[in-house]
Amino acid sequence: MRQGIEEAARAAGRDPGELTLIVVTKFHPASLVRALAALGVRDVGENRHQEAQAKAAELAGLRTPDGDALNWHFIGQLQTKKARQAAQYARAIHSIDRERLVDALATAETASPIEAFVQVNLTDDPGRGGAAPDEIERIAERVLETPTLELRGIMAVAPLPEEEAAAGAFERLHGYADRLRALAPTATAISAGMTHDYPEAIAAGATHLRIGSAITGNRPNAG
């Protein structure tokens, strides 16, 4: 997987070292996360709060061979009522898509600010996760006013292939990222790209890749 990422980065004229690989372990047991950490993986992504909370508790104190602690990235839709709980384990939350969620996180007790990504919806379906493009600046401004959060950048999931090609969607995302940087110059991160579309995401400037099955294999039966 890392070889594929490096090749995609070089093809785009980018330094592979500027990319963060987040291994998504949704539905996989804590034992897999432990095995990944033993291989040097320190950035782990989870979609569901209850599962993430349990794994983080079970693996508290786990470190990579280099002595690095795990960074838990919450990448799924987060209920407002669960926000303060998620803040107890998440180093980063990639799905900030409404002001009410920001307000809930503002009351969380955190040792250090949580890395916050504003999620934008790249489709016309309001049922998909993410804020509408015209809400980006308003949500970002609220994040910037919140001491418990550190605005890192923008996040999106590409539309389904039959809706739009990933390359075109990620180019639009790059434009939204430019708007965010105009508001907050240090918010340079772009969280985009999964197993099936990471080369297109890298070509469009992604800095954080969320890769699951290409590394973990098919997910176990979710029940």
Side-chain angles (χ1 to χ4, degrees):
M1 188 69 233
R2 289 193 181 278
Q3 181 178 351
I5 291 172
E6 290 176 0
E7 290 174 353
R10 293 193 180 97
R14 298 183 58 195
D15 177 4
E18 67 187 28
L19 302 175
T20 296
L21 171 61
I22 301 167
V23 181
V24 181
T25 56
K26 177 182 178 181
F27 294 135
H28 289 279
S31 58
L32 176 63
V33 180
R34 191 180 298 276
L36 290 167
L39 295 173
V41 171
R42 65 176 182 176
D43 291 284
V44 179
E46 287 287 336
N47 293 67
R48 304 191 306 173
H49 164 64
Q50 187 172 356
E51 182 179 350
Q53 185 180 46
K55 287 180 186 175
E58 181 176 344
L59 300 174
L62 180 65
R63 294 187 176 274
T64 69
D66 290 335
D68 296 320
L70 291 183
N71 293 324
W72 293 93
H73 296 252
F74 192 84
I75 61 178
Q77 297 312 113
L78 182 59
Q79 296 180 18
T80 302
K81 64 182 180 181
K82 301 294 185 181
R84 294 182 64 183
Q85 296 178 31
Q88 299 307 303
Y89 61 82
R91 180 69 187 89
I93 296 177
H94 293 237
S95 48
I96 306 293
D97 60 358
R98 58 198 185 280
E99 292 177 85
R100 286 183 58 222
L101 180 56
V102 177
D103 293 343
L105 290 166
T107 64
E109 297 181 4
T110 60
S112 58
I114 298 168
E115 297 180 5
F117 292 75
V118 176
Q119 182 179 0
V120 61
N121 186 349
L122 295 179
T123 77
D124 294 326
D125 181 357
R128 299 278 182 88
D134 62 1
E135 298 176 327
I136 292 172
E137 283 86 358
R138 185 169 68 251
I139 295 172
E141 287 173 348
R142 186 66 66 88
V143 172
L144 290 169
E145 296 168 355
T146 304
T148 58
L149 299 175
E150 175 193 357
L151 184 62
R152 285 298 313 280
I154 203 159
M155 179 273 216
V157 177
L160 298 175
E162 60 268 26
E163 296 174 320
E164 181 182 0
F170 288 145
E171 281 301 322
R172 287 194 289 118
L173 179 63
H174 187 89
Y176 298 147
D178 287 343
R179 283 169 45 185
L180 196 65
R181 282 194 292 270
L183 180 67
T186 60
T188 58
I190 301 177
S191 173
M194 299 189 290
T195 293
H196 60 286
D197 58 20
Y198 72 86
E200 292 89 345
I202 291 173
T207 60
H208 290 64
L209 309 173
R210 311 181 306 271
I211 309 294
S213 59
I215 296 174
T216 64
N218 293 330
R219 66 178 60 166
N221 188 349

